Amino acid sequence: MNVLVIGYGNELRGDDAVGRHIADAVSEWGLPGVRCLSARQLLPEFTGIIASAELVIFVDARFSPDGEPVLLEPVELATSVHALGHTGDPASLLSLTQAIHGHHPPAWLISVRAHDAGMGNPLSPKTSMAAEEALARIAGLIGMTRKAGVSGL
Amino acid sequence: MTQTIVIDPVTRVEGHAKITIHLDDSGQVKDARFHVTEFRGFERFCEGRPLWEMPGLTSRICGICPVSHLLASAKAGDAILAVGIPPAAEKLRRLMNLAQMLQSHALSFFHLSAPDLLLGMESDPAKRNIFALIAAEPELVRSGIRLRQFGQEIIEQLGGKKIHPSWAVPGGVRSALSGAGRDSILARIPEAQATVLHALDRFKRLLSHVKGEAQVFGNFTSLFLGLVGANGNWEHYGGHIRIADGAGNIIADHLDPSQYREFIGEAVEPWSYLKFPYYRPLGYPDGMYRVGPLARLNICTRMGTPLAGSELREFREQGNGAVNSSFYYHYARLIEMLASVEGIERLLDDPDLRSRSESEEEPLLRAHAGINQLSGVGVSEAPRGTLFHEYHVDENGLVKSVNLIIATGQNNLAMNRTIAQIARHYVRSPRITEGMLNRVEAGIRAFDPCLSCSTHAGGMMSLHVILLDSAGRVLDERRRG
């Protein structure tokens, strides 16, 4: 089973880096068939490795005044994408993958509520705790995928 | 009554800007201005920092061309240390600069400009996007994405990461290219070359269809400035400054880049944070010059590599002595991509960069010294044009002052003139038409401006156009992005 975990954010801006911390942690699990990518931002160049995966999990920080510490949402194809810049969002990237390669894997977005984007700061205590919950969700997704024998679209 | 059209913000370029187009009483375009509205202040907040931090600090001016700042900064540091860096270090820096050139130009052509060029500027903006381009030219898009990725991976192989690599330092570089890295790069050269050649072929096939556009697309004579090698070859890292005019005549040559203040002045206007560099002997604004791919191809004697050299000869048929239309920046960019791929392959065959056995010594990569000069200038060719970093330090190496002349800034006067020319051709009424918007945007995009660098600002750019009458009343207003 081929799973891709992409954590993205600015490693210099406190909680904005939580996606990358989580991707690094998943990488340390050393699970066979699970590839992790820690990136500053989503890039069009990721379409190749996304197309070759059977499941993609995006992990990012979410700056909102309220809401659950961790949200798990399916990523749907974007209804409109204007330009191919050097930044992107999961839906646009998935759409680009579909357009270029003719298929895309099922994809999920795990967003972790962020509280502090201070320059050079470590993860805030609340976001650190939420990161643990996110890791549990990812473990569940990977486990669910294995049990259900989900294959790529 | 006079009117003003304002485009704010401008899309599919890096940074923030707006455009105002001023109409006279008869509704004709009197003037156009490219207002850059961002300010970041690197030249000021770097004061007091140690010289050794400058490559890392200044590379963060931009996320698209950080390598350009990294190298120019390291070169300024070399000058302050008063060292000649080891040959292997220079070759590695050149390798990274070529990779930077390749990935940045690939972004510009395939990602930012291809929808305009290949789908047509009259096409519906809602459909003039990457998905329509994928449907029309799937392999072109796919290969273009891989090409940019290739350039970025070379940077990562050398510097450890694709963006803001901490690698070039005053005195040299931190690490060599591994044998595995060299092999992986070499393996992808054929695909990269094929991608660029295909894109060149595709672009040349549409040239006959865009002759009319090219005539009003920043088509005016200007000076052209850039680095050339000792024998006049296309150059991207070292060499000397050469300046040519719009007829292809060399008007200044063998200029020492470190003495840039003798021939480059900087003017300011109250309506933009972007400075206006000009060629001093001709004054401001008559000393307007252009830099970047179009300039580099106009000033060089030859490309120095076989395939790109052949393309240069064909490129020069688009002008008489010099190619003046800014539209041909796109063409020049493609040729530079080809030269970059050829140059990368050539460097990888260099003995100083080849793999070594365990018994062989690694080449020297760094010259070590203390502060030996209290000022230094580092100059290199960024993808968008010539880049100058000047630092003044104290005896402890703490920065006292910084002056940066950025590629995009040097094209400022030319970008303004390009917008004015396009506007004069396409503005016919007090209404802002899609066609006019498309072309004004495309005119700026031809320069591939990095406003993140030039101000030295950040952010995504979008387009806001306002049309004003002579009394300042808004006649029409359009926003994009």
Side-chain angles (χ1 to χ4, degrees), chain A residues 5-9 18-20 22-23 57-61 108-112 134 138:
Chain A
V5 177
I6 304 177
Y8 55 102
V18 66
R20 301 186 67 171
I22 290 170
I57 303 171
F58 296 94
V59 193
D60 189 15
W108 296 88
L109 170 64
I110 291 184
S111 61
V112 180
I138 291 173

Side-chain angles (χ1 to χ4, degrees), chain B residues 267-290:
Chain B
V268 292
E269 295 284 358
W271 41 267
S272 178
Y273 280 122
L274 185 53
K275 290 186 281 188
F276 290 81
Y278 61 95
Y279 181 53
R280 277 192 186 279
L282 296 183
Y284 176 78
D286 293 338
M288 174 183 65
Y289 63 89
R290 284 179 273 185

Side-chain angles (χ1 to χ4, degrees), chain A residues 11-12 40-41 43-47 80-87 92 95-97 99-101, chain B residues 12 14 60 64 107 110-112 128-131 134 141-142 145 148-149 152 161-164 460:
Chain A
E11 74 278 15
L12 299 176
R40 175 73 67 86
Q41 56 196 203
L43 297 172
E45 292 79 21
F46 295 168
T47 53
S80 67
V81 177
H82 295 294
L84 184 55
H86 62 285
T87 59
S92 297
S95 298
L96 190 62
T97 303
I100 292 175
H101 296 280
Chain B
R12 254 190 284 142
E14 296 302 312
R60 280 158 173 82
I64 296 295
L107 172 71
F110 293 98
H111 295 204
L112 302 181
R128 187 163 28 93
N129 57 41
I130 190 60
F131 291 94
I134 290 169
V141 175
R142 192 180 299 124
I145 289 173
R148 186 185 178 217
Q149 184 181 35
Q152 290 182 316
K161 52 181 181 173
K162 294 172 183 168
I163 302 175
H164 306 146
M460 289 300 294

